[in-house]
Amino acid sequence: MFIHQVNGIDWLVITAFEELKTLFIEDAGAIPSCFSATSELNLIDQAKRTYGYLPTYSGVITDTGTFKSKDNEEDLNPQLACLVEGRGRVFIYHGGFVAFVNDEQTFITRID
């Protein structure tokens, strides 16, 4: 694991092997530049502003960020994660799935 900063947000890049650090973009996709620590919007609204309509998916996000859904053959572990104080957590999974978790809601979508 290592930290990669984009727009003032520290992203935890989760890799199984140290030598894969340089390949995280191919594994998880580029870190979305729409997320910014300086924006007044919460993380979900920042994504909606950039991507427009975001389809919703059903599932459960565990405390460690694992995405469990009856629609998936197996549970998905996050490839990238971040925590923005007061604005929630974001987990990004292989295949473009993204989960937003805050005190009020969990929102799962897919960003292509």
Side-chain angles (χ1 to χ4, degrees), residues 44-92:
I44 296 172
D45 290 337
Q46 288 182 43
K48 286 181 178 178
R49 181 183 62 193
T50 300
Y51 295 99
Y53 171 75
L54 295 175
T56 59
Y57 289 85
S58 62
V60 174
I61 307 299
T62 68
D63 288 343
T64 59
T66 300
F67 174 26
K68 298 175 178 256
S69 173
K70 62 179 174 52
D71 298 327
N72 294 338
E73 291 181 17
E74 59 185 46
D75 297 342
L76 299 177
N77 291 312
Q79 303 292 309
L80 300 167
C82 79
L83 167 65
V84 177
E85 194 65 40
R87 300 196 194 161
R89 296 176 287 162
V90 175
F91 298 102
I92 299 179

